[in-house]
Amino acid sequence: QVQLVESGGGLVQAGGSLRLSCAASGRTSSIYRMGWFRQAPGKEREFVAAINYRGVTTFYAGSVKGRFTISRDTAKNSVYLQMASLKPEDTAIYYCAANLQDVPGKYDYWGQGTQVTVSS
């Protein structure tokens, strides 16, 4: 089992920045990749970014590429999402997720989410 806890959400003005954190615990040695997803009201959950937990390969959705940066600190069992140039359409609940195998899109564990609200 892997437990994930997100933090760092909040209210920010358009153009501002925010940094989300995700702390992992439990069988962290089994994690292959970690990702960030988001779900806006009335919309489906969508992929934001991912990073191979013990490598440097990163993946981004087109809508956030160049504005968001995903990073990880395996010593702290944590993954971060640095968000810059935020837009009102970035408003959503952001979820951290972990998968244990190199299977794109298949995430085994999810956090509870943290709210990000971007005001115009």
Side-chain angles (χ1 to χ4, degrees):
Q1 292 282 342
V2 174
Q3 294 79 41
L4 303 171
V5 178
E6 304 96 333
S7 61
L11 174 64
V12 63
Q13 287 189 332
S17 299
L18 211 55
R19 188 194 196 208
L20 304 183
S21 299
C22 174
S25 60
R27 291 180 55 197
T28 57
S29 61
S30 300
I31 296 174
Y32 181 84
R33 180 176 294 135
M34 293 189 70
W36 286 97
F37 292 76
R38 67 187 182 186
Q39 187 166 20
K43 295 188 177 181
E44 293 188 354
R45 185 172 60 196
E46 64 175 359
F47 169 78
V48 175
I51 186 167
N52 286 353
Y53 199 56
R54 303 185 192 287
V56 297
T57 304
T58 57
F59 310 85
Y60 293 95
S63 59
V64 306
K65 200 167 188 178
R67 299 189 299 123
F68 291 10
T69 302
I70 189 170
S71 62
R72 87 288 185 254
D73 185 338
T74 53
K76 295 183 178 180
N77 291 321
S78 293
V79 172
Y80 308 97
L81 186 68
Q82 180 68 48
M83 305 184 293
S85 302
L86 283 162
K87 305 175 183 180
E89 50 263 43
D90 294 318
T91 295
I93 299 174
Y94 283 70
Y95 297 92
C96 175
N99 76 3
L100 308 184
Q101 305 174 63
D102 186 12
V103 178
K106 180 185 180 299
Y107 285 82
D108 305 288
Y109 299 98
W110 294 83
Q112 293 299 306
T114 186
Q115 176 71 48
V116 172
T117 303
V118 184
S119 63
S120 56

